[in-house]
Amino acid sequence: MRNFYLLLLIALVAIISACSDSTATSSNKDDKKSEQQALNEEDTREATTQPEEESQQPFEPMKPSENAKPLEETMSKEELAKMPVVEAHGADRTRSTPVGQTLIEGTTDQTDGLLKNYRLVAYYGQPNSTKMGILGEMEPDALMSKLKKQTQAYSDADPSHPAIPTIELITTIAQRDPGPNGLYYHMTSESDIDEYAKLAKDNNALLMLDVQLGRDTALHQVKLLEKWLKLPYVHVAIDTEFHVDEGQTPGVDLGSVDGAEVQEVVEYVSNLVEEQNLPDKIVLVHQFTDHAVTNKQKIKPTDNVEVALNFDGYGDYATKMSLYRKFVRNDPVQYGGFKIFYNKDKPVLSPEEVLKLDPNPAIINYQ
């Protein structure tokens, strides 16, 4: 009998031990399952947030070549310390900003915008006109191929600011005839704008919609473009010299835009960014004479709009560089832009020459 109870006791101990092991195994499995669920949930969160992150960066800069050297290594000690002689135009040559810096001295940028880390290289024009820029001189695919090559040259010249190919499309065209609205402009067709919007998107490029105003207001013309400005890769430019007063004619009389009117556009675009949860945008303002932009001090970038003042005159390089200093460096808004005319500049500056300017242009457009 004693042996029977002993065997029974051993059997009970074995059963209890087995149950304990089973519970422990079950618990371990549950722990592993919970851990795996947590990892799966994390993967799901990453998968669901990834498209949103991509939508915030709707472009692809041209990667610098492997042999591209930092800008500082390609310039002499004098060039690092002083602006070009022709830019100084007889004045003090001391640089206001270090070589490579695009933000103009005395200004700030509170945005998460593109110009902090990248440079825009844009081709300008209207697809139905060979006289208004390179866009009208080439078929879209050939244009994009040439634009990418030109953009690559800037990425190689300054690897610290990879360049983004950009299409600057004239969307409202100033004309000498008052037209049916009496405002001396007509619009590029929606189908043409859609075509170049798709071209930019398909090539991971940016689209900048340019307005020429005529006798209309800048704010009204930009509002006409709201459909496209709601796209994350679309920005806006203002051609100030085509804005004329009553009794004047675009192309005959040189026009101008008041800084307060530019600021209305900046604030409208800023509100659109907030309302539509868009990436921060750029407003580019063209100027090639003193008169073209008045009361410039009224132009104020916002927390989600960067502003660049683009010098866009053509001619000999000494005059162009000195006027860039006058309009951009010495009368700053936030960032500088510089236009190059393939057929009118003498000579056509290379990217390396452009990047010697003080400050470095954040936007270079070609016409």
Side-chain angles (χ1 to χ4, degrees):
M1 181 64 71
R2 183 180 300 171
N3 289 338
F4 171 77
Y5 284 115
L6 181 59
L7 291 171
L8 180 62
L9 179 61
I10 291 172
L12 288 171
V13 170
I15 292 170
I16 292 171
S17 176
C19 290
S20 176
D21 290 343
S22 176
T23 303
T25 301
S26 176
S27 176
N28 289 338
K29 287 181 178 178
D30 288 343
D31 289 344
K32 289 181 179 178
K33 183 178 180 182
S34 298
E35 182 179 349
Q36 186 60 46
Q37 284 178 338
L39 290 172
N40 289 341
E41 289 173 0
E42 183 65 26
D43 289 342
T44 300
R45 283 196 295 271
E46 290 180 358
T48 55
T49 57
Q50 186 65 25
E52 181 179 347
E53 290 174 0
E54 288 178 355
S55 72
Q56 295 299 304
Q57 299 293 339
F59 65 90
E60 185 175 333
M62 306 302 294
K63 293 181 180 179
S65 303
E66 290 184 3
N67 60 350
K69 295 181 179 180
L71 191 59
E72 294 84 353
E73 293 183 12
T74 64
M75 298 174 66
S76 68
K77 290 183 178 180
E78 180 181 6
E79 289 171 333
L80 291 172
K82 298 180 180 181
M83 71 178 76
V85 172
V86 291
E87 183 182 2
H89 202 62
D92 181 12
R93 292 180 59 202
T94 304
R95 284 190 173 274
S96 63
T97 57
V99 166
Q101 179 175 316
T102 55
L103 187 65
I104 300 176
E105 182 72 16
T107 68
T108 60
D109 187 348
Q110 303 300 322
T111 74
D112 293 320
L114 301 175
L115 300 184
K116 280 186 168 182
N117 300 305
Y118 302 98
R119 175 174 282 108
L120 272 58
V121 177
Y123 273 0
Y124 172 98
Q126 208 280 338
N128 300 311
S129 172
T130 59
K131 297 181 180 180
M132 299 179 71
I134 193 169
L135 258 70
E137 298 173 4
M138 303 182 72
E139 292 298 316
D141 289 341
L143 174 88
M144 185 54 65
S145 178
K146 184 177 177 68
L147 172 57
K148 286 181 177 180
K149 289 179 182 178
Q150 185 66 79
T151 305
Q152 183 68 55
Y154 281 91
S155 288
D156 291 345
D158 181 12
S160 68
H161 287 80
I164 308 168
T166 304
I167 300 169
E168 186 172 351
L169 175 68
I170 302 171
T171 53
T172 58
I173 308 163
Q175 59 183 25
R176 297 187 181 187
D177 188 299
N181 58 20
L183 295 176
Y184 289 81
Y185 80 90
H186 69 275
M187 280 197 69
T188 297
S189 70
E190 288 196 13
S191 61
D192 281 341
I193 300 175
D194 286 339
E195 178 182 3
Y196 281 85
K198 184 177 186 300
L199 181 68
K201 182 179 180 180
D202 290 349
N203 286 274
N204 298 311
L206 302 176
L207 177 65
M208 187 164 286
L209 301 180
D210 183 279
V211 292
Q212 290 193 344
L213 305 183
R215 290 188 188 174
D216 200 4
T217 67
L219 181 59
H220 177 255
Q221 292 206 352
V222 171
K223 284 183 175 181
L224 293 174
L225 306 174
E226 183 173 296
K227 165 187 171 182
W228 296 281
L229 287 173
K230 289 180 179 179
L231 299 173
Y233 56 92
V234 176
H235 305 266
V236 66
I238 303 173
D239 259 329
T240 56
E241 68 269 22
F242 294 104
H243 181 234
V244 296
D245 295 325
E246 191 72 29
Q248 296 181 323
T249 303
V252 176
D253 301 290
L254 187 61
S256 67
V257 174
D258 190 279
E261 190 170 344
V262 173
Q263 188 60 24
E264 288 180 345
V265 171
V266 171
E267 292 172 2
Y268 164 76
V269 174
S270 184
N271 290 334
L272 192 65
V273 168
E274 293 182 359
E275 292 168 1
Q276 300 293 321
N277 193 29
L278 295 166
D280 293 342
K281 290 189 179 288
I282 299 166
V283 172
L284 178 67
V285 183
H286 289 281
Q287 178 181 10
F288 75 95
T289 67
D290 293 282
H291 177 67
V293 183
T294 58
N295 296 316
K296 196 185 294 185
Q297 71 279 2
K298 294 183 179 180
I299 305 173
K300 305 292 182 184
T302 69
D303 289 347
N304 45 35
V305 171
E306 296 172 313
V307 180
L309 195 290
N310 193 86
F311 173 68
D312 65 349
Y314 63 83
D316 67 274
Y317 80 102
T319 300
K320 289 187 60 157
M321 294 177 87
S322 65
L323 288 176
Y324 175 84
R325 175 177 180 270
K326 178 181 181 180
F327 296 139
V328 175
R329 178 187 186 269
N330 292 354
D331 198 5
V333 175
Q334 190 180 35
Y335 290 97
F338 191 78
K339 181 179 277 189
I340 292 176
F341 291 76
Y342 279 128
N343 299 324
K344 294 183 178 181
D345 283 351
K346 298 179 181 180
V348 174
L349 296 177
S350 69
E352 291 76 13
E353 291 171 319
V354 172
L355 296 183
K356 291 178 182 179
L357 286 165
D358 175 34
N360 278 178
I363 299 175
I364 300 95
N365 44 20
Y366 286 78
Q367 182 168 336

